[in-house]
Amino acid sequence: MLYFIGLGLADELDITVKGLEIIRQAKRVYLEAYTSILLVDKSRLELFYGRDVTLADREMVESASDEILQDADKVDVAFLVVGDPFGATTHADLSLRARQLSIPTKSIPNASIMNAIGACGLSLYNYGQTVSMVFFTDTWRPASFYDRIYENAYLGLHTLVLLDIKVKEPNLEAMAQGKKVWEPPRYMSVAQCAQQMIEVEEESKKGCCAGERLAIGAARVGSESQIFVSGTLQELSEADLGDPLHCLILVGKRCHEMEAELMKGYAVNKKNFDEAWNLGGYGVT
């Protein structure tokens, strides 16, 4: 059996009892290590689980999955995923490959950012499409996320924006020379995300990512150091929320006054928050 096991969001203690029992009796244990990260390193997991854990990077999962699937029709293999197992299409692809090899699979769910973000105070019922924000470069500035945000804003829905992480990315110059050199890990901050949104707004001019748009910055959701900060996108473009992982929520016009009061409690500037709220700073009309 190939088990897809969600680890939750923060540390080794977030594993479910069911997931932990499977890990402790599995023949092999892999930790997917590129779509997201826990806030503790692998050694903490191994100590708590009482098992060796093999890091599975993008190359292994997407191009060399035979190692993970080997003999999984005869023995139990645990594939550990930060958050919930099927928050990324990569894991659905691995499940399909297992099916093609007649390997049975089972998913053990856990908390993910998709539900844990409810702690910010906005109702999960009023979220629209989730979008991702990637690191812009001098030659690559994709803006496809903007149309999805506009659609959400038009319906009055909030938008959860997941921020880019770069883990074990190859150095392109070294690759051109036939060498494997890895770039240091990078994690997008709320400030960088907000700034990129404002830049795209200057070109698109539909109002859904304007500097006066109300938003929430979130960092390390689900951990002891979890933090939320609300304000305009312009304010968040200058906010420092500390260590990763970060995400951002654009507030939709269906926001209830009670939710607004909750957001105001962690506003960068409460007076500015009130002004933005009264001016309808929560999306297109």
Side-chain angles (χ1 to χ4, degrees):
M1 178 82 75
L2 174 63
Y3 289 93
F4 293 86
I5 302 177
L7 298 183
L9 294 170
D11 57 35
E12 72 276 18
L13 300 179
D14 285 350
I15 186 73
T16 64
V17 173
K18 183 179 292 185
L20 182 59
E21 289 179 347
I22 294 169
I23 289 170
R24 287 179 171 169
Q25 58 84 36
K27 183 74 171 180
R28 301 191 307 277
V29 181
Y30 296 92
L31 171 63
E32 186 268 276
Y34 64 93
T35 59
S36 189
I37 59 166
L38 286 176
L39 304 183
V40 296
D41 60 29
K42 182 171 73 79
S43 63
R44 285 269 295 271
L45 301 184
E46 291 176 323
L47 182 63
F48 186 71
Y49 300 159
R51 293 298 311 275
D52 290 335
V53 176
T54 300
L55 283 179
D57 60 17
R58 183 186 298 274
E59 184 177 3
M60 173 182 283
V61 177
E62 295 184 353
S63 304
S65 60
D66 290 349
E67 178 182 336
I68 298 171
L69 298 175
Q70 184 180 358
D71 295 330
D73 57 335
K74 304 179 184 69
V75 300
D76 289 338
V77 177
F79 184 74
L80 313 184
V81 181
V82 177
D84 189 75
F86 289 99
T89 53
T90 294
H91 310 133
D93 181 64
L94 184 60
S95 179
L96 286 172
R97 279 180 270 170
R99 181 189 297 175
Q100 292 166 359
L101 296 171
S102 300
I103 295 171
T105 64
K106 187 172 183 179
S107 174
I108 310 299
N110 207 321
S112 77
I113 192 62
M114 305 295 284
N115 56 7
I117 199 61
C120 76
L122 298 181
S123 171
L124 294 177
Y125 288 100
N126 288 328
Y127 280 80
Q129 304 166 86
T130 298
V131 303
S132 298
M133 175 65 77
V134 301
F135 284 107
F136 285 178
T137 70
D138 292 338
T139 57
W140 191 57
R141 297 165 59 85
S144 57
F145 69 89
Y146 190 91
D147 290 338
R148 306 289 82 74
I149 291 174
Y150 181 82
E151 291 167 1
N152 288 346
Y154 184 79
L155 296 172
L157 300 173
H158 314 309
T159 301
L160 172 61
V161 185
L162 304 179
L163 310 192
D164 201 4
I165 71 171
K166 298 291 188 185
V167 179
K168 203 176 180 182
E169 294 288 322
N171 179 286
L172 298 182
E173 291 183 6
M175 184 183 292
Q177 299 171 11
K179 302 176 183 177
K180 277 193 175 182
V181 177
W182 308 112
E183 298 282 3
R186 290 194 297 153
Y187 308 96
M188 183 179 288
S189 67
V190 161
Q192 183 170 2
C193 175
Q195 182 58 49
Q196 291 187 178
M197 286 182 159
I198 293 170
E199 291 173 8
V200 172
E201 179 61 42
E202 292 172 355
E203 301 171 3
S204 301
K205 300 184 184 304
K206 292 182 180 180
C208 62
C209 291
E212 61 271 20
R213 176 83 186 269
L214 280 174
I216 299 170
R220 302 172 299 283
V221 175
S223 75
E224 293 295 326
S225 62
Q226 168 181 288
I227 184 173
F228 297 107
V229 175
S230 66
T232 64
L233 275 179
Q234 187 61 53
E235 287 175 321
L236 293 185
S237 73
E238 302 170 2
D240 182 1
L241 276 66
D243 293 336
L245 295 171
H246 293 191
C247 63
L248 184 145
I249 308 99
L250 289 167
V251 180
K253 62 187 176 183
R254 290 189 188 182
C255 187
H256 190 273
E257 289 184 2
M258 181 175 63
E259 294 171 303
E261 195 63 29
L262 285 169
M263 284 191 294
K264 182 179 175 180
Y266 49 79
V268 173
N269 182 302
K270 292 180 171 56
K271 180 180 178 182
N272 290 349
F273 182 93
D274 284 338
E275 290 177 356
W277 174 262
N278 292 333
L279 290 172
Y282 38 73
V284 297
T285 56

